[in-house]
Amino acid sequence: MGDMTNSDFYSKNQRNESSHGGEFGCTMEELRSLMELRGTEAVVKIKETYGDTEAICRRLKTSPVEGLPGTAPDLEKRKQIFGQNFIPPKKPKTFLQLVWEALQDVTLIILEIAAIISLGLSFYHPPGESNEGCATAQGGAEDEGEAEAGWIEGAAILLSVICVVLVTAFNDWSKEKQFRGLQSRIEQEQKFTVVRAGQVVQIPVAEIVVGDIAQVKYGDLLPADGLFIQGNDLKIDESSLTGESDQVRKSVDKDPMLLSGTHVMEGSGRMVVTAVGVNSQTGIIFTLLGAGGEEEEKKDKKAKQQDGAAAMEMQPLKSAEGGDADDKKKANMHKKEKSVLQGKLTKLAVQIGKAGLVMSAITVIILVLYFTVDTFVVNKKPWLPECTPVYVQYFVKFFIIGVTVLVVAVPEGLPLAVTISLAYSVKKMMKDNNLVRHLDACETMGNATAICSDKTGTLTTNRMTVVQAYVGDVHYKEIPDPSSINAKTMELLVNAIAINSAYTTKILPPEKEGALPRQVGNKTECGLLGFVLDLKQDYEPVRSQMPEEKLYKVYTFNSVRKSMSTVIKLPDESFRMYSKGASEIVLKKCCKILNGAGDPRVFRPRDRDEMVKKVIEPMACDGLRTICVAYRDFPSSPEPDWDNENDILNDLTCICVVGIEDPVRPEVPEAIRKCQRAGITVRMVTGDNINTARAIAIKCGIIHPGEDFLCLEGKEFNRRIRNEKGEIEQERIDKIWPKLRVLARSSPTDKHTLVKGIIDSTHTEQRQVVAVTGDGTNDGPALKKADVGFAMGIAGTDVAKEASDIILTDDNFSSIVKAVMWGRNVYDSISKFLQFQLTVNVVAVIVAFTGACITQDSPLKAVQMLWVNLIMDTFASLALATEPPTETLLLRKPYGRNKPLISRTMMKNILGHAVYQLTLIFTLLFVGEKMFQIDSGRNAPLHSPPSEHYTIIFNTFVMMQLFNEINARKIHGERNVFDGIFRNPIFCTIVLGTFAIQIVIVQFGGKPFSCSPLQLDQWMWCIFIGLGELVWGQVIATIPTSRLKFLKEAGRLTQKEEIPEEELNEDVEEIDHAERELRRGQILWFRGLNRIQTQIRVVKAFRSSLYEGLEKPESRTSIHNFMAHPEFRIEDSQPHIPLIDDTDLEEDAALKQNSSPPSSLNKNNSAIDSGINLTTDTSKSATSSSPGSPIHSLETSL
């Protein structure tokens, strides 16, 4: 299959094969073609060709029980012959490619063209040059030497453009590098369990070779293709490869094929690895998608849409391929709404850009009109043909001034600041045990208003120990003395625990002296095995007597059963089944119980009620998890029907009930207190008994006795939120969630329902932003639905990690609080930068505009503007975006989605500083020459030398920006702007660096920068005026914001009141105003803003992981695309609303497919039955789908 694309890869392998031909009994080609078969054909083929799976193991020189010997030469040889378990990555973009992309920016292109025209004209000396009749002599004589230097301005503009391009490209490049680093870090963490030389070891996924015996268990993401050897109840979700959402049951005689990239949903077992890397099924698909070849680019796009399901989920083989896989996945997962911040920024940028475009157009028009009227009408000069070049030169100059106004107006620094801030935070969050998989999750976290947390392992230590037990009619408050338990009961108890638990679960001796024994595997089972050891018994002999292969039938634990049972065949051919599980569930199925003498006695429902009251509830109220252990004997004939679970799991005899303690992590109560103080509600969602849950919630401080709150069980929760027809109603959820603090005995679906209910709720004026933690496979849908999904790095299954946005590498709740802090910091950093940036923009645009109108020449020249704008923007975004977070960030409430980006205080600062700067600059412009006793620089002719006058203006302007950068460090109107300035070395370096470069530019910049060197006293004045900024900042801080009612905030996402109800029901969250404007035909404005779009694309590239994000040119043309489709109107009742970025275009397609669910089902790769996922898929974007909309009907029909 994959031969075309990776032919070189295969040919290499084939060559190796011919040489080693005889070493193994089967070649790579044979195994590969075998793995392409499914189900019964595969079984037939194995029988015909090999005999059975044992025979294949023999041919691969491996033992189903002992595994590979694991010697280095053997592993090396296998890698050579069968390949490695890794997929060669796509090449990263070269630096030159990134430079080329940065050059695509519209404003830069305009500047380049203008500069080239200006250059050309400066070299062209027509005969009319000397003609006095031309309008050159406009005051101030022109030196011969100066005329020669006319080319300098053009060259300088070109040079600064090159500077900007290099800086942008370098930023993109370092970001890509960081991203790859992050990817490889995620990959190294991915390990898998294999058996080598009889020992169970965990090895990195890339180390797996053909012939390895791998142990698969619930929640794994299979890293390679293999054949099922032995196991119980193994069910696999193959939707990622086949698109079929039903779970496939695997068995040796019916369907032994295990494929890479699929999820284990239930059970456990062992497989022999038959294909790895590029030869595995997912690897083949990947090679077809051209992970190796660039020329596949275009096909890749198509493949991605049709083959969505197939391309996906390649994650386990990530290797260096990671980012790419991530991208394909992102395309198929529903797209999370555009992050709040980006929505606000796009909108703001569009508004600013429009204003800039208008200003620059007016500037050019005024300049041209003034010149023509003045020359041809007032002075009545004829247009002489030999004067044409001179006039053209004037017009080019005017055009360049116009372009500079535009360049300054458009805040390119914005997207850059976002990216830098996010990338910096992500890097630092690694140290705080947060591994961020999707960049914007970092910023969303700052807005979080609710956290739904698991209990086990997140709030608690996940180290289970049995502390109470009820055995033989006695309730022991601590571990009973072994002699007090009847021998028969003891034997049953030890057998029931040792056999009826995964054999991968063990208790190993501690690593260090005096430490606690190590718990490996399922923690609850570890607690039970620990109980056996505490009773001075040993579980190992029992297990060696009854090895895993001999177990007759296993009903593995899953979230529906909430129990696990194992059937064994006794020596006398009869059967015995051991069961364990949640006490209220297992006790319901018990009809006998062992008494003190070890004999079963009748156990009636009323005995059960008494036991619940006397034993289980007291244990639960101490925060213990109660587990019941039971057994049942079956006759040998007739053999029971093992598939009829309800009859089998009944009539049990209870052996004992134990209370397992899972202590609360010591740092959790403090972390939860911080959350509550920061305005975040913490809710606990757990599968545990309600009393246990309540007890732990009180210990953690989630609930305080005497408060008004709800603790519900899953059943009760469902009863309250569903109407008579059993449909979930949003109004009902709205009645419950604000008070709900603990949801106990909840199924994964309940968790998903709760998260969706809170997110879709319109109960509060702000839309809630929900973070969810999860570790199990079944938490996948809830993690995807949430705004931010946290997966556990240690206890989490691969499936949970796949669905999450952030991985907690230490499974600790207090790391979430750190994430909140970083998220808020990102938001604040961007506001700081905005405050600084907009002041520069406002001032520069007004100066250039009025200057041009009054003196026919901008006081700030094109090159100077470029230096101020592009370089200071870039540096300032670095300086302000890297402020470290402080604890004080946690003292305020979340901003919420509708909080404007620029608050009143910030608006006050921006306008206040702008007033100061404009006053001074205009003073200098019109009376500066008198103050400093220098020549006036106004109305200079075309190529006149730079004047000291204008140099002082430029220098003062830059000094004011520098000191204002320090003011910008505080956005909430604090007085002390120097607070913590030394904690941020980057900031200090940049301010000093900019200052140094400025000195060089002024003293030695000469003609290119239109500067003439200044004397010391002039410098002092410039710096003094700059310092005035700090004083003025204090003056502004004194004015109370509340007085300035007239100040408008800017950059908010649409408020609910502004939109009529019907529109609200369509994807309001998705189309914020920016996009709505676009549709009204102002596409042209946006082309001028392409710069911003390009950089927002860079930011987005982080989301949809770097590669495709940068490569898709559609996102650039997408705007033009919608114009081609007139049916995209906002009044449309269909929710197909075109959006800016390409992912949305894809989602658009998905929405249109609603009428035919199957096509969209294939896209869905959720761990849970696709019905649910489809609804998340579509209604993700709709805040609340109106009953009339197709989405709604789809939801109900599913």
Side-chain angles (χ1 to χ4, degrees):
M1 251 174 109
D3 299 34
M4 304 97 51
T5 31
N6 262 28
S7 49
D8 51 324
F9 201 87
Y10 290 123
S11 56
K12 199 165 72 216
N13 285 328
Q14 254 105 47
R15 276 204 304 283
N16 291 338
E17 231 167 83
S18 50
S19 55
H20 295 285
E23 302 221 358
F24 294 103
C26 34
T27 64
M28 183 181 75
E29 285 301 316
E30 286 172 10
L31 288 174
R32 238 180 76 203
S33 51
L34 172 65
M35 291 317 289
E36 277 160 25
L37 303 173
R38 299 279 178 277
T40 40
E41 334 171 7
V43 180
V44 173
K45 171 91 167 139
I46 293 174
K47 277 225 170 60
E48 284 173 3
T49 322
Y50 304 103
D52 58 357
T53 37
E54 295 277 322
I56 294 184
C57 290
R58 281 199 297 282
R59 289 192 179 199
L60 289 173
K61 303 201 172 143
T62 177
S63 139
V65 186
E66 298 283 307
L68 291 179
T71 55
D74 177 54
L75 295 178
E76 212 27 66
K77 197 162 68 192
R78 286 171 190 273
K79 278 186 190 164
Q80 272 190 333
I81 296 182
F82 296 111
Q84 291 182 323
N85 195 18
F86 119 116
I87 289 183
K90 184 174 255 167
K91 288 188 203 63
K93 293 221 156 155
T94 57
F95 188 67
L96 287 175
Q97 277 170 310
L98 291 170
V99 168
W100 176 241
E101 275 183 3
L103 276 170
Q104 307 296 310
D105 172 32
V106 182
T107 34
L108 284 182
I109 292 175
I110 297 177
L111 269 180
E112 285 155 26
I113 294 171
I116 290 168
I117 295 176
S118 154
L119 266 179
L121 287 173
S122 67
F123 288 125
Y124 172 55
H125 291 299
E129 191 81 348
S130 52
N131 190 333
E132 282 309 302
C134 298
T136 28
Q138 236 195 29
E142 193 173 340
D143 287 315
E144 263 315 294
E146 287 305 333
E148 301 304 302
W151 59 273
I152 292 186
E153 183 171 43
I157 294 181
L158 281 182
L159 196 74
S160 47
V161 166
I162 290 170
C163 252
V164 172
V165 166
L166 288 178
V167 169
T168 320
F170 177 75
N171 270 321
D172 290 355
W173 180 77
S174 58
K175 204 159 58 233
E176 180 146 345
K177 209 170 98 212
Q178 257 182 1
F179 190 79
R180 291 201 169 230
L182 184 72
Q183 275 302 349
S184 63
R185 161 97 194 247
I186 295 181
E187 277 135 38
Q188 285 155 8
E189 295 204 336
Q190 197 162 10
K191 294 209 167 25
F192 209 77
T193 320
V194 297
V195 181
R196 284 197 178 161
Q199 291 296 313
V200 177
V201 285
Q202 287 227 321
I203 57 169
V205 168
E207 294 295 308
I208 294 177
V209 294
V210 171
D212 257 325
I213 303 294
Q215 290 196 341
V216 295
K217 59 177 187 315
Y218 157 81
D220 282 342
L221 196 51
L222 299 182
D225 291 356
L227 294 174
F228 183 59
I229 308 177
Q230 167 274 320
N232 28 59
D233 230 7
L234 192 66
K235 287 195 188 146
I236 295 212
D237 171 16
E238 294 190 347
S239 58
S240 56
L241 279 179
T242 59
E244 299 292 326
S245 55
D246 302 336
Q247 295 176 9
V248 186
R249 199 188 197 111
K250 297 292 179 186
S251 62
V252 182
D253 46 358
K254 292 207 179 62
D255 182 0
M257 299 315 218
L258 298 176
L259 305 173
S260 57
T262 56
H263 289 142
V264 182
M265 297 311 286
E266 221 178 277
S268 60
R270 292 212 303 271
M271 70 168 186
V272 56
V273 176
T274 53
V276 292
V278 247
N279 304 310
S280 65
Q281 290 307 297
T282 337
I284 293 171
I285 288 170
F286 248 77
T287 10
L288 283 182
L289 281 173
E294 292 295 304
E295 72 288 342
E296 296 291 290
E297 225 37 277
K298 294 176 198 62
K299 291 181 220 155
D300 189 14
K301 302 255 164 39
K302 286 199 200 78
K304 229 178 74 223
Q305 274 133 24
Q306 303 147 0
D307 222 299
M312 213 146 60
E313 290 295 358
M314 187 46 191
Q315 226 56 355
L317 285 172
K318 282 215 269 229
S319 70
E321 178 51 32
D324 218 65
D326 217 70
D327 183 64
K328 305 223 166 64
K329 282 259 303 306
K330 271 312 235 192
N332 295 303
M333 287 203 301
H334 54 256
K335 179 185 159 299
K336 299 210 167 183
E337 327 178 350
K338 195 143 119 220
S339 81
V340 191
L341 190 60
Q342 268 171 329
K344 292 179 182 176
L345 279 177
T346 314
K347 191 173 163 220
L348 196 67
V350 172
Q351 290 167 341
I352 296 174
K354 282 183 193 169
L357 207 54
V358 172
M359 290 291 263
S360 62
I362 294 176
T363 314
V364 175
I365 292 167
I366 289 180
L367 285 171
V368 172
L369 281 178
Y370 189 98
F371 176 76
T372 45
V373 169
D374 189 59
T375 311
F376 302 122
V377 180
V378 181
N379 296 340
K380 297 196 173 54
K381 295 230 169 92
W383 178 297
L384 300 171
E386 59 267 29
C387 288
T388 309
V390 184
Y391 295 145
V392 170
Q393 246 171 324
Y394 268 105
F395 289 140
V396 168
K397 179 179 151 187
F398 298 151
F399 179 61
I400 289 182
I401 292 175
V403 173
T404 10
V405 173
L406 176 65
V407 169
V408 175
V410 175
E412 310 81 315
L414 258 186
L416 190 67
V418 181
T419 313
I420 291 179
S421 181
L422 286 173
Y424 171 77
S425 306
V426 167
K427 213 167 162 184
K428 288 275 187 267
M429 281 167 81
M430 298 277 272
K431 293 200 179 76
D432 287 339
N433 303 313
N434 282 303
L435 182 72
V436 182
R437 292 182 67 230
H438 300 139
L439 251 196
D440 50 336
C442 173
E443 161 254 318
T444 315
M445 219 26 232
N447 283 326
T449 52
I451 297 177
C452 296
S453 171
D454 270 2
K455 175 180 80 72
T456 312
T458 314
L459 300 173
T460 59
T461 54
N462 203 4
R463 205 194 149 76
M464 311 275 191
T465 40
V466 173
V467 287
Q468 297 188 18
Y470 178 87
V471 189
D473 292 343
V474 188
H475 183 178
Y476 298 94
K477 292 287 190 185
E478 58 259 355
I479 300 286
D481 181 10
S483 57
S484 63
I485 298 178
N486 177 292
K488 281 191 281 187
T489 312
M490 182 68 97
E491 190 194 357
L492 272 170
L493 178 62
V494 174
N495 278 330
I497 291 176
I499 292 173
N500 185 27
S501 57
Y503 278 30
T504 45
T505 305
K506 306 185 187 54
I507 294 197
L508 302 178
E511 286 174 340
K512 297 200 248 340
E513 269 304 302
L516 293 165
R518 280 186 303 157
Q519 297 187 338
V520 186
N522 180 319
K523 295 296 194 267
T524 313
E525 292 179 352
C526 286
L528 291 168
L529 292 174
F531 179 53
V532 170
L533 297 177
D534 289 340
L535 292 172
K536 311 278 182 287
Q537 306 291 317
D538 190 5
Y539 63 88
E540 278 299 338
V542 180
R543 283 187 171 179
S544 47
Q545 227 173 359
M546 176 61 67
E548 211 168 348
E549 298 77 70
K550 285 199 186 159
L551 301 180
Y552 196 80
K553 170 98 181 122
V554 178
Y555 300 95
T556 48
F557 180 87
N558 65 24
S559 54
V560 183
R561 284 191 194 123
K562 290 231 189 281
S563 68
M564 168 177 179
S565 314
T566 305
V567 181
I568 58 169
K569 213 168 187 168
L570 297 174
D572 63 355
E573 293 294 307
S574 64
F575 300 99
R576 172 170 289 170
M577 177 178 76
Y578 294 115
S579 273
K580 68 171 193 300
S583 55
E584 54 261 56
I585 290 170
V586 178
L587 279 178
K588 279 203 186 89
K589 300 178 174 158
C590 290
C591 60
K592 300 197 186 74
I593 186 167
L594 295 181
N595 61 16
D599 302 318
R601 66 173 169 82
V602 181
F603 184 63
R604 293 184 298 273
R606 66 160 187 269
D607 299 331
R608 184 171 68 231
D609 297 340
E610 190 182 1
M611 181 151 168
V612 168
K613 257 201 221 51
K614 294 262 170 63
V615 180
I616 292 174
E617 284 186 359
M619 281 187 188
C621 291
D622 293 341
L624 303 183
R625 192 177 197 164
T626 53
I627 301 279
C628 174
V629 183
Y631 77 102
R632 176 183 176 183
D633 285 329
F634 295 97
S636 53
S637 65
E639 184 172 330
D641 170 14
W642 298 116
D643 289 333
N644 184 349
E645 248 180 79
N646 293 344
D647 291 354
I648 301 287
L649 292 180
N650 229 328
D651 297 340
L652 306 176
T653 306
C654 168
I655 303 172
C656 73
V657 173
V658 292
I660 297 183
E661 182 184 44
D662 184 8
V664 171
R665 287 174 179 265
E667 61 282 339
V668 162
E670 173 57 21
I672 286 181
R673 205 162 55 248
K674 279 184 189 161
C675 281
Q676 288 163 342
R677 204 172 48 217
I680 302 170
T681 317
V682 183
R683 295 184 173 82
M684 182 162 102
V685 182
T686 173
D688 254 345
N689 166 327
I690 186 146
N691 297 329
T692 313
R694 191 184 286 119
I696 299 247
I698 290 173
K699 282 185 193 165
C700 294
I702 292 179
I703 53 184
H704 304 287
E707 277 182 2
D708 180 21
F709 56 80
L710 281 174
C711 290
L712 293 181
E713 284 202 336
K715 281 205 184 94
E716 172 65 8
F717 173 69
N718 273 309
R719 199 181 57 71
R720 291 198 190 187
I721 60 171
R722 290 173 193 273
N723 58 18
E724 302 70 55
K725 295 193 198 122
E727 294 161 356
I728 297 173
E729 286 189 0
Q730 187 63 43
E731 302 81 74
R732 291 172 183 245
I733 297 184
D734 285 349
K735 288 200 186 77
I736 295 177
W737 72 259
K739 284 187 182 171
L740 182 69
R741 290 293 175 275
V742 176
L743 184 57
R745 281 273 172 254
S746 67
S747 68
T749 342
D750 295 340
K751 193 176 196 173
H752 179 262
T753 311
L754 176 67
V755 172
K756 183 174 182 307
I758 298 181
I759 288 181
D760 294 348
S761 169
T762 48
H763 180 79
T764 46
E765 76 279 13
Q766 297 284 3
R767 149 151 152 34
Q768 295 279 314
V769 178
V770 185
V772 169
T773 68
D775 51 6
T777 308
N778 42 26
D779 292 328
L783 287 171
K784 275 188 190 167
K785 176 70 192 163
D787 295 285
V788 183
F790 285 92
M792 300 299 143
I794 305 168
T797 55
D798 297 340
V799 183
K801 289 181 189 171
E802 279 307 304
S804 69
D805 300 295
I806 298 181
I807 296 174
L808 294 179
T809 48
D810 62 346
D811 287 15
N812 194 337
F813 185 83
S814 56
S815 305
I816 299 180
V817 182
K818 297 249 178 58
V820 172
M821 210 155 81
W822 276 107
R824 293 186 172 192
N825 192 48
V826 168
Y827 204 94
D828 279 7
S829 296
I830 284 157
S831 298
K832 287 171 190 175
F833 174 67
L834 260 179
Q835 177 174 302
F836 172 69
Q837 163 92 52
L838 291 180
T839 316
V840 181
N841 281 9
V842 167
V843 175
V845 169
I846 293 178
V847 167
F849 178 72
T850 43
C853 299
I854 298 170
T855 67
Q856 279 83 72
D857 184 10
S858 163
L860 298 173
K861 298 289 179 293
V863 183
Q864 298 173 349
M865 290 279 228
L866 281 174
W867 154 244
V868 167
N869 182 59
L870 301 169
I871 319 265
M872 287 193 59
D873 273 10
T874 310
F875 286 165
S877 63
L878 247 181
L880 292 168
T882 52
E883 291 269 313
T886 54
E887 285 281 333
T888 48
L889 287 169
L890 292 175
L891 297 176
R892 61 174 175 76
K893 298 271 175 279
Y895 280 146
R897 299 178 88 80
N898 303 339
K899 164 104 170 47
L901 213 48
I902 301 172
S903 61
R904 276 236 175 87
T905 319
M906 286 167 60
M907 208 51 148
K908 177 183 76 175
N909 291 343
I910 291 172
L911 295 178
H913 288 294
V915 167
Y916 174 83
Q917 296 183 11
L918 286 171
T919 315
L920 282 164
I921 285 177
F922 284 134
T923 312
L924 286 176
L925 180 60
F926 295 116
V927 293
E929 71 270 34
K930 302 197 184 62
M931 285 159 53
F932 289 106
Q933 271 102 44
I934 44 177
D935 293 339
S936 164
R938 293 196 298 280
N939 296 340
L942 244 186
H943 297 300
S944 57
S947 65
E948 283 189 350
H949 183 189
Y950 275 15
T951 309
I952 291 180
I953 294 179
F954 166 58
N955 200 15
T956 313
F957 180 65
V958 172
M959 287 303 127
M960 291 198 285
Q961 300 321 328
L962 267 185
F963 287 102
N964 194 29
E965 197 168 332
I966 299 177
N967 276 333
R969 289 185 68 245
K970 298 286 176 237
I971 47 174
H972 297 298
E974 295 91 332
R975 286 252 177 225
N976 180 5
V977 287
F978 291 102
D979 175 40
I981 195 165
F982 296 113
R983 286 224 319 276
N984 188 354
I986 303 185
F987 184 87
C988 305
T989 328
I990 284 177
V991 172
L992 296 172
T994 317
F995 185 62
I997 300 176
Q998 178 64 17
I999 296 178
V1000 175
I1001 288 179
V1002 171
Q1003 296 306 91
F1004 312 105
K1007 182 79 193 185
F1009 279 98
S1010 322
C1011 288
S1012 72
L1014 300 180
Q1015 272 93 42
L1016 190 62
D1017 61 323
Q1018 291 166 332
W1019 263 103
M1020 283 299 133
W1021 272 106
C1022 293
I1023 293 175
F1024 174 71
I1025 296 177
L1027 273 168
E1029 269 288 3
L1030 292 175
V1031 183
W1032 184 247
Q1034 295 302 315
V1035 176
I1036 295 180
T1038 325
I1039 307 171
T1041 316
S1042 50
R1043 288 284 170 78
L1044 306 169
K1045 284 280 183 286
F1046 60 88
L1047 286 183
K1048 282 278 183 293
E1049 299 126 331
R1052 64 166 63 223
L1053 284 177
T1054 37
Q1055 277 287 5
K1056 294 216 170 79
E1057 313 84 63
E1058 299 166 9
I1059 312 167
E1061 255 319 283
E1062 322 74 282
E1063 279 188 5
L1064 223 171
N1065 289 336
E1066 284 157 32
D1067 304 0
V1068 168
E1069 287 285 324
E1070 282 286 42
I1071 334 169
D1072 53 19
H1073 270 177
E1075 275 125 11
R1076 213 172 274 182
E1077 307 280 30
L1078 286 177
R1079 265 181 241 118
R1080 301 211 177 110
Q1082 284 121 330
I1083 303 302
L1084 289 170
W1085 298 126
F1086 211 84
R1087 289 186 198 165
L1089 286 175
N1090 217 316
R1091 168 95 199 210
I1092 290 173
Q1093 214 189 350
T1094 313
Q1095 272 163 323
I1096 284 192
R1097 218 168 70 236
V1098 172
V1099 176
K1100 212 171 273 145
F1102 251 106
R1103 282 155 76 208
S1104 58
S1105 85
L1106 222 63
Y1107 317 93
E1108 312 285 328
L1110 288 171
E1111 269 152 23
K1112 289 191 181 165
E1114 298 120 61
S1115 56
R1116 204 173 298 145
T1117 52
S1118 57
I1119 313 283
H1120 318 312
N1121 293 0
F1122 319 139
M1123 292 324 284
H1125 307 301
E1127 81 266 24
F1128 287 146
R1129 282 199 321 282
I1130 211 160
E1131 306 84 62
D1132 255 341
S1133 60
Q1134 287 285 335
H1136 53 217
I1137 294 175
L1139 297 154
I1140 293 192
D1141 57 320
D1142 32 340
T1143 24
D1144 305 30
L1145 288 172
E1146 259 171 49
E1147 167 151 355
D1148 213 23
L1151 286 179
K1152 284 202 201 111
Q1153 290 174 0
N1154 280 352
S1155 41
S1156 56
S1159 49
S1160 33
L1161 283 184
N1162 283 354
K1163 299 198 117 169
N1164 133 28
N1165 67 316
S1166 154
I1168 288 274
D1169 116 53
S1170 37
I1172 299 174
N1173 201 56
L1174 189 62
T1175 37
T1176 37
D1177 219 34
T1178 45
S1179 42
K1180 181 71 183 183
S1181 45
T1183 345
S1184 52
S1185 35
S1186 56
S1189 78
I1191 289 183
H1192 187 83
S1193 48
L1194 187 69
E1195 237 172 287
T1196 39
S1197 64
L1198 278 167

